[in-house]
Amino acid sequence: MQIKEFKLAGIYIHIPFCKQACHYCDFHFSTNTSQFETMTSLIAKEAMLRKDFLKGEEIRTIYFGGGTPSLANPEWLEKIIRSISTHFSLSLQEVTLEANPDDLTQEKLAAWKAMGIDRLSLGIQSFKDEVLQFYNRAHNAKESLDAIELARAAGFKKFSMDLIYGFPSSNHELWVSDLETALSQNPGHLSCYALTVEEGTALGNWTKKGKFNPANEDFVAEQFEILQQMTEKAGYEQYEISNFAKPGQESLHNSLYWKGQAYLGLGPGAHSFDREQRFFNPSHNPTYIKSLTEGTLALISDPLEEVDRLNEYILTALRTRWGVDLEWLQHQFGKDLASEKAIPLREFEKEGWVKREKKNLSLSKSGMLVADSIAQALFY
Protein backbone atom coordinates (compact mmCIF):
# COMPACT_ATOMS: atom_id res chain seq x y z
CA MET A 1 0.00 0.00 0.00
CA GLN A 2 1.45 3.36 -0.99
CA ILE A 3 1.66 6.00 1.70
CA LYS A 4 -0.07 8.56 -0.51
CA GLU A 5 -3.17 6.33 -0.62
CA PHE A 6 -3.25 5.78 3.13
CA LYS A 7 -5.44 8.13 5.23
CA LEU A 8 -5.73 7.40 8.90
CA ALA A 9 -6.05 9.49 12.06
CA GLY A 10 -5.75 8.31 15.63
CA ILE A 11 -5.80 9.41 19.23
CA TYR A 12 -3.14 8.47 21.78
CA ILE A 13 -3.88 8.80 25.52
CA HIS A 14 -0.95 8.89 27.93
CA ILE A 15 -1.80 7.55 31.40
CA PRO A 16 1.20 8.75 33.45
CA PHE A 17 1.09 6.40 36.45
CA CYS A 18 2.86 3.15 37.33
CA LYS A 19 2.84 0.80 40.30
CA GLN A 20 6.63 0.94 40.46
CA ALA A 21 9.56 2.16 38.35
CA CYS A 22 11.15 -0.35 35.97
CA HIS A 23 14.92 -0.03 36.09
CA TYR A 24 15.28 0.61 32.34
CA CYS A 25 12.33 2.96 31.73
CA ASP A 26 12.67 6.66 30.89
CA PHE A 27 9.04 7.27 29.83
CA HIS A 28 7.06 9.92 31.69
CA PHE A 29 5.24 8.43 34.70
CA SER A 30 4.73 8.85 38.43
CA THR A 31 4.35 6.20 41.14
CA ASN A 32 2.28 8.67 43.20
CA THR A 33 -1.23 7.69 42.14
CA SER A 34 -3.14 9.98 44.52
CA GLN A 35 -4.40 12.13 41.62
CA PHE A 36 -5.14 9.27 39.22
CA GLU A 37 -8.90 9.90 38.98
CA THR A 38 -8.37 13.66 38.69
CA MET A 39 -5.88 13.12 35.88
CA THR A 40 -8.25 10.94 33.84
CA SER A 41 -11.06 13.50 34.25
CA LEU A 42 -8.72 16.22 32.97
CA ILE A 43 -7.64 14.08 30.01
CA ALA A 44 -11.35 13.78 29.14
CA LYS A 45 -11.55 17.58 29.44
CA GLU A 46 -8.52 18.02 27.17
CA ALA A 47 -10.27 15.92 24.52
CA MET A 48 -13.14 18.42 24.61
CA LEU A 49 -10.82 21.45 24.44
CA ARG A 50 -8.93 19.98 21.47
CA LYS A 51 -11.96 18.77 19.50
CA ASP A 52 -10.96 20.88 16.47
CA PHE A 53 -7.40 19.54 16.18
CA LEU A 54 -8.40 16.73 13.82
CA LYS A 55 -11.40 18.54 12.34
CA GLY A 56 -12.71 16.79 9.26
CA GLU A 57 -10.75 13.60 10.05
CA GLU A 58 -12.38 10.33 11.02
CA ILE A 59 -10.69 8.72 14.03
CA ARG A 60 -9.81 5.11 13.18
CA THR A 61 -7.66 4.17 16.20
CA ILE A 62 -7.45 4.90 19.92
CA TYR A 63 -4.43 3.83 21.95
CA PHE A 64 -4.12 3.93 25.76
CA GLY A 65 -0.41 4.00 26.60
CA GLY A 66 1.74 5.07 29.50
CA GLY A 67 2.65 4.54 32.17
CA THR A 68 0.27 1.74 32.97
CA PRO A 69 -3.30 2.28 31.73
CA SER A 70 -4.35 -1.12 33.12
CA LEU A 71 -3.89 0.30 36.65
CA ALA A 72 -6.83 2.66 36.14
CA ASN A 73 -10.34 2.04 37.34
CA PRO A 74 -12.19 1.08 34.13
CA GLU A 75 -14.80 3.79 34.82
CA TRP A 76 -12.08 6.43 34.53
CA LEU A 77 -10.99 5.14 31.13
CA GLU A 78 -14.61 4.95 30.00
CA LYS A 79 -15.02 8.65 30.83
CA ILE A 80 -12.17 9.44 28.40
CA ILE A 81 -13.72 7.28 25.66
CA ARG A 82 -17.11 8.98 26.17
CA SER A 83 -15.50 12.40 25.79
CA ILE A 84 -13.71 11.32 22.59
CA SER A 85 -16.96 9.82 21.24
CA THR A 86 -18.79 13.08 21.96
CA HIS A 87 -16.29 15.45 20.40
CA PHE A 88 -14.78 13.52 17.47
CA SER A 89 -16.02 11.70 14.41
CA LEU A 90 -15.27 8.02 14.98
CA SER A 91 -14.90 5.18 12.52
CA LEU A 92 -12.96 2.88 14.83
CA GLN A 93 -10.98 -0.07 13.54
CA GLU A 94 -8.80 -0.63 16.62
CA VAL A 95 -8.79 0.39 20.31
CA THR A 96 -5.64 -0.73 22.15
CA LEU A 97 -4.83 -0.75 25.85
CA GLU A 98 -1.34 -1.36 27.25
CA ALA A 99 -1.59 -3.72 30.21
CA ASN A 100 0.72 -5.33 32.72
CA PRO A 101 0.00 -9.04 33.36
CA ASP A 102 -0.50 -8.55 37.11
CA ASP A 103 -3.35 -6.08 36.50
CA LEU A 104 -5.58 -8.42 34.51
CA THR A 105 -8.76 -9.66 36.17
CA GLN A 106 -11.98 -11.08 34.72
CA GLU A 107 -13.80 -7.94 35.87
CA LYS A 108 -11.38 -5.53 34.22
CA LEU A 109 -11.24 -7.52 31.00
CA ALA A 110 -15.05 -7.57 30.78
CA ALA A 111 -15.21 -3.81 31.44
CA TRP A 112 -12.53 -3.03 28.83
CA LYS A 113 -14.34 -5.14 26.25
CA ALA A 114 -17.67 -3.48 27.05
CA MET A 115 -16.21 0.00 26.43
CA GLY A 116 -14.87 -1.02 23.00
CA ILE A 117 -11.25 -1.96 23.73
CA ASP A 118 -10.48 -4.83 21.34
CA ARG A 119 -6.69 -5.13 21.46
CA LEU A 120 -4.31 -5.59 24.40
CA SER A 121 -0.59 -4.85 24.43
CA LEU A 122 0.88 -6.95 27.23
CA GLY A 123 4.10 -5.73 28.86
CA ILE A 124 5.69 -9.13 29.42
CA GLN A 125 9.39 -8.29 28.71
CA SER A 126 10.66 -11.74 29.76
CA PHE A 127 9.39 -15.13 30.92
CA LYS A 128 12.32 -15.52 33.34
CA ASP A 129 11.59 -14.51 36.94
CA GLU A 130 15.21 -13.57 37.67
CA VAL A 131 15.25 -11.17 34.70
CA LEU A 132 11.88 -9.66 35.65
CA GLN A 133 13.17 -9.08 39.18
CA PHE A 134 16.29 -7.40 37.79
CA TYR A 135 14.10 -5.12 35.64
CA ASN A 136 11.94 -4.40 38.73
CA ARG A 137 8.79 -5.60 36.98
CA ALA A 138 5.75 -6.07 39.21
CA HIS A 139 4.75 -9.45 37.72
CA ASN A 140 6.27 -12.91 37.41
CA ALA A 141 6.36 -15.39 34.54
CA LYS A 142 3.35 -17.40 35.77
CA GLU A 143 1.25 -14.23 35.89
CA SER A 144 2.15 -13.55 32.25
CA LEU A 145 0.91 -16.97 31.13
CA ASP A 146 -2.20 -16.65 33.31
CA ALA A 147 -2.90 -13.19 31.84
CA ILE A 148 -2.81 -14.54 28.28
CA GLU A 149 -5.24 -17.31 29.24
CA LEU A 150 -7.55 -14.82 31.00
CA ALA A 151 -7.53 -12.45 28.00
CA ARG A 152 -8.42 -15.25 25.60
CA ALA A 153 -11.17 -16.53 27.88
CA ALA A 154 -12.60 -12.99 27.97
CA GLY A 155 -12.83 -13.01 24.18
CA PHE A 156 -9.82 -10.88 23.24
CA LYS A 157 -8.65 -12.09 19.83
CA LYS A 158 -6.03 -9.41 19.21
CA PHE A 159 -3.14 -9.00 21.57
CA SER A 160 0.51 -8.15 21.41
CA MET A 161 3.43 -9.08 23.66
CA ASP A 162 6.33 -6.77 24.47
CA LEU A 163 9.69 -8.53 24.91
CA ILE A 164 13.18 -7.21 25.65
CA TYR A 165 16.33 -8.76 24.20
CA GLY A 166 19.99 -7.98 24.82
CA PHE A 167 20.07 -8.91 28.51
CA PRO A 168 23.79 -9.59 29.19
CA SER A 169 24.51 -13.30 29.33
CA SER A 170 27.22 -15.79 28.36
CA ASN A 171 25.06 -17.18 25.52
CA HIS A 172 21.69 -16.77 23.78
CA GLU A 173 19.80 -19.50 25.66
CA LEU A 174 17.76 -17.05 27.74
CA TRP A 175 16.56 -15.09 24.69
CA VAL A 176 15.79 -18.24 22.67
CA SER A 177 13.79 -19.60 25.62
CA ASP A 178 11.82 -16.33 25.97
CA LEU A 179 10.99 -16.38 22.26
CA GLU A 180 10.00 -20.05 22.31
CA THR A 181 7.63 -19.42 25.22
CA ALA A 182 6.14 -16.34 23.55
CA LEU A 183 5.63 -18.07 20.20
CA SER A 184 4.11 -21.14 21.89
CA GLN A 185 1.31 -18.81 23.06
CA ASN A 186 0.59 -17.87 19.42
CA PRO A 187 0.05 -14.13 19.89
CA GLY A 188 -0.98 -12.17 16.80
CA HIS A 189 1.75 -9.60 17.38
CA LEU A 190 5.16 -9.19 18.99
CA SER A 191 7.02 -5.97 19.79
CA CYS A 192 10.66 -6.68 20.63
CA TYR A 193 13.13 -4.04 21.79
CA ALA A 194 16.82 -4.11 22.65
CA LEU A 195 17.64 -3.35 26.27
CA THR A 196 18.99 0.21 26.28
CA VAL A 197 20.69 2.17 29.03
CA GLU A 198 19.00 5.57 29.44
CA GLU A 199 20.26 8.45 31.57
CA GLY A 200 18.32 9.04 34.76
CA THR A 201 17.19 5.42 35.08
CA ALA A 202 18.42 2.94 37.68
CA LEU A 203 20.18 1.06 34.88
CA GLY A 204 21.87 4.28 33.73
CA ASN A 205 23.10 5.02 37.23
CA TRP A 206 24.38 1.46 37.73
CA THR A 207 26.25 1.61 34.43
CA LYS A 208 27.91 4.90 35.39
CA LYS A 209 29.04 3.38 38.69
CA GLY A 210 30.31 0.21 37.02
CA LYS A 211 27.66 -1.96 38.68
CA PHE A 212 26.13 -3.00 35.34
CA ASN A 213 27.83 -3.90 32.08
CA PRO A 214 25.51 -3.81 29.05
CA ALA A 215 25.86 -6.50 26.39
CA ASN A 216 28.12 -5.55 23.47
CA GLU A 217 26.72 -4.57 20.05
CA ASP A 218 27.61 -7.87 18.38
CA PHE A 219 25.78 -9.87 21.05
CA VAL A 220 22.66 -7.69 20.68
CA ALA A 221 22.85 -7.92 16.87
CA GLU A 222 23.01 -11.72 17.07
CA GLN A 223 19.88 -11.73 19.22
CA PHE A 224 18.11 -9.51 16.68
CA GLU A 225 18.98 -12.01 13.95
CA ILE A 226 17.68 -14.88 16.12
CA LEU A 227 14.46 -12.89 16.54
CA GLN A 228 14.11 -12.45 12.76
CA GLN A 229 14.74 -16.13 12.07
CA MET A 230 12.41 -17.53 14.73
CA THR A 231 9.50 -15.18 14.00
CA GLU A 232 9.73 -15.76 10.24
CA LYS A 233 9.70 -19.54 10.78
CA ALA A 234 6.61 -19.12 12.98
CA GLY A 235 4.73 -17.19 10.28
CA TYR A 236 5.24 -13.61 11.44
CA GLU A 237 6.10 -10.73 9.14
CA GLN A 238 8.58 -8.11 10.31
CA TYR A 239 6.56 -5.12 9.16
CA GLU A 240 8.64 -2.66 11.20
CA ILE A 241 12.10 -3.13 12.69
CA SER A 242 10.79 -3.88 16.20
CA ASN A 243 7.35 -5.25 15.27
CA PHE A 244 6.25 -8.67 14.01
CA ALA A 245 2.71 -9.68 13.11
CA LYS A 246 0.63 -12.54 11.82
CA PRO A 247 -1.40 -11.57 8.70
CA GLY A 248 -4.00 -8.94 9.58
CA GLN A 249 -2.62 -8.39 13.10
CA GLU A 250 -0.42 -5.34 12.45
CA SER A 251 -0.89 -2.42 14.85
CA LEU A 252 -3.02 0.05 12.90
CA HIS A 253 -2.33 2.80 15.43
CA ASN A 254 1.46 2.53 15.38
CA SER A 255 1.38 2.22 11.59
CA LEU A 256 -0.11 5.68 11.31
CA TYR A 257 3.00 7.09 13.06
CA TRP A 258 5.29 5.31 10.62
CA LYS A 259 3.23 6.46 7.63
CA GLY A 260 3.28 10.13 8.60
CA GLN A 261 -0.43 10.31 9.39
CA ALA A 262 -2.22 12.65 11.81
CA TYR A 263 -2.72 11.88 15.48
CA LEU A 264 -3.82 13.68 18.62
CA GLY A 265 -2.00 13.06 21.89
CA LEU A 266 -3.86 13.57 25.17
CA GLY A 267 -2.30 13.62 28.64
CA PRO A 268 1.02 14.85 30.07
CA GLY A 269 3.97 14.14 27.78
CA ALA A 270 1.75 13.18 24.83
CA HIS A 271 2.68 14.36 21.32
CA SER A 272 0.37 15.35 18.46
CA PHE A 273 0.98 15.73 14.72
CA ASP A 274 -1.26 17.32 12.08
CA ARG A 275 0.92 16.16 9.13
CA GLU A 276 2.68 19.56 9.13
CA GLN A 277 3.58 20.47 12.71
CA ARG A 278 4.11 18.67 15.99
CA PHE A 279 2.77 19.67 19.41
CA PHE A 280 3.29 18.23 22.87
CA ASN A 281 2.12 18.51 26.45
CA PRO A 282 4.80 19.06 29.13
CA SER A 283 5.96 15.84 30.79
CA HIS A 284 5.01 17.22 34.19
CA ASN A 285 1.84 16.13 35.97
CA PRO A 286 1.39 19.24 38.21
CA THR A 287 1.73 21.62 35.22
CA TYR A 288 -0.79 19.58 33.23
CA ILE A 289 -3.26 19.38 36.13
CA LYS A 290 -3.01 23.10 36.88
CA SER A 291 -3.57 24.23 33.29
CA LEU A 292 -6.50 21.88 32.59
CA THR A 293 -8.11 22.71 35.94
CA GLU A 294 -8.02 26.35 34.86
CA GLY A 295 -9.50 25.41 31.48
CA THR A 296 -6.36 26.13 29.47
CA LEU A 297 -3.89 24.01 27.50
CA ALA A 298 -0.20 23.81 28.38
CA LEU A 299 0.44 22.81 24.76
CA ILE A 300 3.87 23.51 23.28
CA SER A 301 4.40 23.87 19.53
CA ASP A 302 7.32 22.02 17.92
CA PRO A 303 7.65 23.61 14.45
CA LEU A 304 8.94 21.39 11.66
CA GLU A 305 10.74 22.76 8.63
CA GLU A 306 10.10 20.98 5.34
CA VAL A 307 13.54 19.35 5.50
CA ASP A 308 12.68 18.01 8.98
CA ARG A 309 9.51 16.38 7.65
CA LEU A 310 11.43 14.99 4.68
CA ASN A 311 14.14 13.43 6.84
CA GLU A 312 11.61 12.14 9.35
CA TYR A 313 9.74 10.42 6.53
CA ILE A 314 12.96 8.78 5.29
CA LEU A 315 13.81 7.63 8.83
CA THR A 316 10.41 6.16 9.69
CA ALA A 317 9.54 4.75 6.24
CA LEU A 318 12.84 2.88 6.03
CA ARG A 319 11.98 1.10 9.28
CA THR A 320 8.90 -0.49 7.69
CA ARG A 321 8.21 -3.16 5.09
CA TRP A 322 6.50 -0.46 2.99
CA GLY A 323 9.78 1.44 2.65
CA VAL A 324 10.29 4.84 1.03
CA ASP A 325 7.87 5.69 -1.79
CA LEU A 326 10.34 7.47 -4.11
CA GLU A 327 7.61 8.77 -6.42
CA TRP A 328 5.58 10.26 -3.58
CA LEU A 329 8.72 11.73 -2.01
CA GLN A 330 9.57 13.54 -5.25
CA HIS A 331 5.98 14.77 -5.63
CA GLN A 332 5.76 15.94 -2.01
CA PHE A 333 9.24 17.38 -1.47
CA GLY A 334 10.69 17.83 -4.98
CA LYS A 335 13.57 15.47 -4.21
CA ASP A 336 14.86 12.72 -6.50
CA LEU A 337 16.42 10.58 -3.78
CA ALA A 338 17.52 7.80 -6.16
CA SER A 339 19.76 10.14 -8.18
CA GLU A 340 20.67 12.68 -5.49
CA LYS A 341 21.80 9.96 -3.08
CA ALA A 342 23.11 7.59 -5.75
CA ILE A 343 26.60 7.21 -4.23
CA PRO A 344 25.56 5.94 -0.77
CA LEU A 345 22.69 3.93 -2.32
CA ARG A 346 25.11 2.07 -4.60
CA GLU A 347 27.24 1.19 -1.58
CA PHE A 348 24.23 0.01 0.42
CA GLU A 349 22.99 -2.12 -2.49
CA LYS A 350 26.46 -3.63 -2.86
CA GLU A 351 26.38 -4.57 0.84
CA GLY A 352 22.92 -6.09 0.35
CA TRP A 353 21.33 -3.68 2.85
CA VAL A 354 18.73 -2.02 0.63
CA LYS A 355 16.30 -3.22 -2.03
CA ARG A 356 14.89 -1.16 -4.89
CA GLU A 357 11.69 -2.29 -6.56
CA LYS A 358 10.26 0.11 -9.14
CA LYS A 359 9.65 3.32 -7.19
CA ASN A 360 10.20 1.86 -3.73
CA LEU A 361 13.27 1.69 -1.49
CA SER A 362 13.31 -0.64 1.52
CA LEU A 363 15.77 -2.38 3.82
CA SER A 364 16.79 -6.02 3.66
CA LYS A 365 16.85 -8.06 6.87
CA SER A 366 20.57 -7.38 7.28
CA GLY A 367 20.00 -3.70 6.47
CA MET A 368 17.69 -3.42 9.46
CA LEU A 369 20.72 -3.91 11.70
CA VAL A 370 22.16 -0.62 10.44
CA ALA A 371 18.91 1.24 9.70
CA ASP A 372 19.82 4.45 11.52
CA SER A 373 23.18 4.73 9.75
CA ILE A 374 21.53 4.21 6.36
CA ALA A 375 18.86 6.83 7.12
CA GLN A 376 21.52 9.33 8.23
CA ALA A 377 23.39 8.88 4.96
CA LEU A 378 20.17 9.59 3.01
CA PHE A 379 19.16 12.69 4.98
CA TYR A 380 19.08 16.10 3.29
Side-chain angles (χ1 to χ4, degrees), residues 227-239:
L227 168 63
Q228 289 178 313
Q229 291 159 9
M230 290 182 66
T231 50
E232 183 177 20
K233 187 177 179 183
Y236 291 78
E237 180 175 27
Q238 186 176 17
Y239 72 106

Side-chain angles (χ1 to χ4, degrees), residues 127 145 148 152 161 163 175-190 192 226-236 244-246:
F127 288 97
L145 295 171
I148 294 161
R152 284 207 165 110
M161 294 183 187
L163 296 175
W175 177 230
V176 169
S177 174
D178 269 350
L179 271 177
E180 285 175 343
T181 303
L183 293 171
S184 74
Q185 297 302 306
N186 195 30
H189 190 281
L190 287 172
C192 302
I226 290 168
L227 168 63
Q228 289 178 313
Q229 291 159 9
M230 290 182 66
T231 50
E232 183 177 20
K233 187 177 179 183
Y236 291 78
F244 305 77
K246 289 283 185 72

Side-chain angles (χ1 to χ4, degrees), residues 241 315 318-319 363 366-377:
I241 285 179
L315 179 69
L318 272 179
R319 291 182 61 89
L363 297 180
S366 60
M368 288 181 176
L369 282 164
V370 286
D372 288 347
S373 298
I374 292 172
Q376 288 279 349

Side-chain angles (χ1 to χ4, degrees), residues 124-128 131 135 161-169 171-183 190-195 219-231 242 244:
I124 287 171
Q125 317 312 353
S126 176
F127 288 97
K128 299 297 182 186
V131 176
Y135 289 157
M161 294 183 187
D162 281 6
L163 296 175
I164 295 175
Y165 61 93
F167 185 82
S169 181
N171 56 49
H172 299 307
E173 286 179 13
L174 188 152
W175 177 230
V176 169
S177 174
D178 269 350
L179 271 177
E180 285 175 343
T181 303
L183 293 171
L190 287 172
S191 295
C192 302
Y193 306 99
L195 180 63
F219 181 87
V220 176
E222 287 166 8
Q223 296 213 332
F224 182 71
E225 290 172 332
I226 290 168
L227 168 63
Q228 289 178 313
Q229 291 159 9
M230 290 182 66
T231 50
S242 301
F244 305 77

